[in-house]
Amino acid sequence: FSNQQLIPEKSDYIKSIEKIVKKINKGELEKIVISRIEKYSVKNKIPLDDVILKLNNKYPNCCNFLIEQNDGSFFLSSSPEKLIEINEQSFNTLALAGTSKHKNSLNREKEINEHSYVVEYLKETLDKFGDNIYVERNKKALKLDYAYHIQTPISGKLKEKNHILDILETLYPTPALAGYPIKDSIEMIHSIEKFDRGLYGGAVGFYNEKGTGCFFVSIRSALIKNHTIFFYSG
């Protein structure tokens, strides 16, 4: 990699975070996710086949995908965060929030609160569509090579034959990639971020003619365009 560019610059990003911390301390927000981009130039062509193969081998428990867009760029992600899956009349999702390099640190109040926002939001939203909603009470840690995440599977039965896109439109975005309360955090993100997130943090998946399918949140992602790579983080 060469010619690193930070979007926004580090000093500007820190100022944004400090502004948000003040709002959280005042009780105006509980959580907000502000994203940033690291842009790099590469000399040689990136072997896309090798990239997706390595992701599949290293992260078999994630949704690994590589999408060619109309402008010739490629968006890739290795996402552990399932947003919604429908199979016949059953649905399931995964609350994934609260992150630390050390497993014991997942017990910190900050991580527990972040996770609770997502669990409550998913349950409250899916209550409109489903019955017999089951939330696993024993929080489990998902171990990836860079960190641990708190994860809570949630499942249930649909009241009606809802199309997955109808549920997706109501469910997305969750507090995991936006914040809490949802509306306030999204407004703040729009006022602070001066760039387009693109597909980062979006919903990527598939569905069939019956309206069943599966969507994941496109985190741990990058955009490859010619000899330039954009890495996204929040």
Side-chain angles (χ1 to χ4, degrees):
F1 293 148
S2 61
N3 300 325
Q4 180 194 45
Q5 180 185 352
L6 302 180
I7 306 171
E9 291 295 335
K10 183 176 180 179
S11 58
D12 293 331
Y13 188 73
I14 291 175
K15 288 178 182 177
S16 296
I17 298 300
E18 291 173 344
K19 180 180 179 181
I20 289 165
V21 169
K22 289 180 181 179
K23 287 186 173 293
I24 291 175
N25 289 336
K26 290 180 180 178
E28 297 177 17
L29 288 169
E30 295 289 340
K31 173 188 175 179
I32 183 171
V33 180
I34 299 299
S35 65
R36 66 187 187 90
I37 302 172
E38 290 191 10
K39 178 182 176 182
Y40 295 88
S41 298
V42 293
K43 294 180 179 179
N44 300 321
K45 186 177 179 181
I46 298 171
L48 298 174
D49 290 344
D50 289 344
V51 171
I52 194 66
L53 182 62
K54 287 180 180 179
L55 289 179
N56 285 336
N57 289 335
K58 191 166 186 177
Y59 304 109
N61 57 344
C62 293
C63 178
N64 307 307
F65 58 83
L66 179 70
I67 299 173
E68 183 176 9
Q69 302 190 90
N70 291 333
D71 63 357
S73 64
F74 291 86
F75 183 79
L76 68 116
S77 170
S78 179
S79 175
E81 187 173 351
K82 182 191 292 184
L83 184 55
I84 185 68
E85 180 179 16
I86 297 178
N87 185 9
E88 299 298 334
Q89 285 296 104
S90 300
F91 66 83
N92 68 85
T93 183
L94 183 69
L96 190 75
T99 305
S100 177
K101 290 183 178 180
H102 306 287
K103 188 176 181 179
N104 291 338
S105 298
L106 292 177
N107 295 321
R108 293 182 303 184
E109 183 179 3
K110 170 186 172 294
E111 312 307 337
I112 295 296
N113 287 343
E114 281 193 21
H115 189 75
S116 297
Y117 299 145
V118 180
V119 172
E120 291 305 316
Y121 174 83
L122 290 174
K123 185 177 182 301
E124 181 181 326
T125 305
L126 291 170
D127 268 336
K128 304 169 188 175
F129 299 97
D131 286 322
N132 302 321
I133 295 180
Y134 175 69
V135 180
E136 286 197 17
R137 292 301 176 188
N138 296 323
K139 295 180 176 62
K140 299 177 182 178
L142 171 65
K143 184 183 184 303
L144 297 172
D145 67 331
Y146 65 97
Y148 291 87
H149 296 292
I150 306 174
Q151 60 177 350
T152 298
I154 301 172
S155 59
K157 298 286 186 180
L158 292 175
K159 298 175 183 178
E160 302 175 4
K161 287 190 175 182
N162 299 100
H163 197 291
I164 193 170
L165 293 184
D166 294 331
I167 299 178
L168 185 67
E169 185 177 12
T170 306
L171 199 60
Y172 177 86
T174 76
L177 263 291
Y180 189 83
I182 287 288
K183 183 178 179 181
D184 294 337
S185 62
I186 291 175
E187 288 177 357
M188 180 62 65
I189 288 170
H190 286 318
S191 70
I192 290 177
E193 292 186 5
K194 304 303 180 184
F195 58 88
D196 188 350
R197 287 189 179 192
L199 293 181
Y200 167 71
V204 174
F206 59 88
Y207 62 93
N208 59 23
E209 71 278 2
K210 295 180 181 179
T212 64
C214 185
F215 281 82
F216 280 75
V217 182
S218 50
I219 56 175
R220 303 210 307 163
S221 53
L223 179 71
I224 300 173
K225 191 169 185 179
N226 298 322
H227 288 270
T228 305
I229 304 180
F230 302 84
F231 292 103
Y232 297 87
S233 182

